[in-house]
Amino acid sequence: ESIKDKSMRRIGFGREGRSSLEYIRKYLPEKEITISDRNEIKTDDRFVKKITGEKYLEKINDFDIVFKSPGVSVKDIDIFDRKKITCQTDLFLKFAPCKKVGITGSKGKTTTSTLIYSMLKEAGIDARLIGNIGVPVFECLEDVREDTVAVIEMSSHQLEFCSSSPSVAVFTNIFEEHLDHY
């Protein structure tokens, strides 16, 4: 579904937020986007509206699409339409043409992701190590092909608003963590 004619809000403007804006700008250079973050937002993009400070999550329902960074919690917002919220991980899983291996769990995600990636590279397979490991998935979106294997470390916060699944899923384990959120 096209985002061209929809109102768009980006929540969180850290590394993933910046890479989302960069990616959108390649295809929609004059698309008006509202970016909200608790902290000051530094961008000279004249088509960006900014919402900062303590109330940066207010009026979340006023937009057609909300791109949320995994580090932003919406658990304290009483009423919002969960179907409007998406993230880079979900869009990558839906639309990237490559094979996707997703790794999640309470502990061991980075070790397992790095091990799988290293084994694929050693076997001569075109692979990318992305996701929660520190590389936003949109940063490799344009250089993956059908024969590429994307090894995606996925935190629970990245998966919270995902409606798509990887080709292969690895669940390392589960412990009583993040109970304050869930």
Side-chain angles (χ1 to χ4, degrees), residues 155-170:
S155 71
S156 63
H157 301 291
Q158 286 171 303
L159 292 169
E160 184 176 7
F161 291 97
C162 280
S163 60
S164 301
S165 298
S167 314
V168 175
V170 178

Side-chain angles (χ1 to χ4, degrees), residues 88-96 100 152 154 162 164-166:
Q88 276 195 11
T89 303
D90 190 40
L91 295 174
F92 188 89
L93 291 172
K94 279 182 189 171
F95 299 115
K100 299 137 191 134
I152 312 162
M154 299 185 292
C162 280
S164 301
S165 298

Side-chain angles (χ1 to χ4, degrees), residues 9-171:
R9 183 166 176 182
R10 171 75 218 174
I11 299 177
F13 202 56
R15 187 165 181 181
E16 184 176 300
R18 291 178 195 287
S19 76
S20 294
L21 180 61
E22 234 176 79
Y23 186 80
I24 292 166
R25 282 296 170 247
K26 286 181 186 177
Y27 301 98
L28 301 169
E30 296 182 358
K31 171 75 177 155
E32 184 176 287
I33 302 171
T34 299
I35 298 177
S36 57
D37 196 295
R38 182 180 309 276
N39 303 311
E40 180 184 342
I41 296 168
K42 294 180 182 176
T43 180
D44 294 329
D45 189 320
R46 65 186 179 112
F47 297 103
V48 167
K49 291 185 175 183
K50 303 172 188 177
I51 301 172
T52 59
E54 291 298 315
K55 297 184 179 189
Y56 76 105
L57 292 175
E58 287 186 356
K59 299 183 180 179
I60 199 169
N61 287 316
D62 291 355
F63 296 84
D64 297 322
I65 300 172
V66 177
F67 293 93
K68 187 187 90 54
S69 289
V72 176
S73 174
V74 293
K75 72 178 180 98
D76 293 327
I77 298 175
D78 292 331
I79 300 170
F80 65 92
D81 186 349
R82 292 182 68 85
K83 291 178 275 181
K84 290 182 178 187
I85 298 181
T86 190
C87 60
Q88 276 195 11
T89 303
D90 190 40
L91 295 174
F92 188 89
L93 291 172
K94 279 182 189 171
F95 299 115
C98 60
K99 296 173 188 85
K100 299 137 191 134
V101 177
I103 296 91
T104 195
S106 298
K107 299 184 185 307
K109 294 183 295 294
T110 300
T111 301
T112 305
S113 299
T114 303
L115 179 62
I116 291 170
Y117 169 77
S118 297
M119 291 188 318
L120 291 169
K121 291 300 276 185
E122 186 66 29
I125 295 170
D126 179 31
R128 304 291 183 282
L129 181 59
I130 57 176
N132 194 57
I133 201 152
V135 180
V137 295
F138 277 14
E139 288 189 13
C140 80
L141 187 56
E142 294 193 344
D143 71 329
V144 295
R145 303 177 312 273
E146 284 186 24
D147 63 336
T148 302
V149 178
V151 179
I152 312 162
E153 179 181 325
M154 299 185 292
S155 71
S156 63
H157 301 291
Q158 286 171 303
L159 292 169
E160 184 176 7
F161 291 97
C162 280
S163 60
S164 301
S165 298
S167 314
V168 175
V170 178
F171 188 73

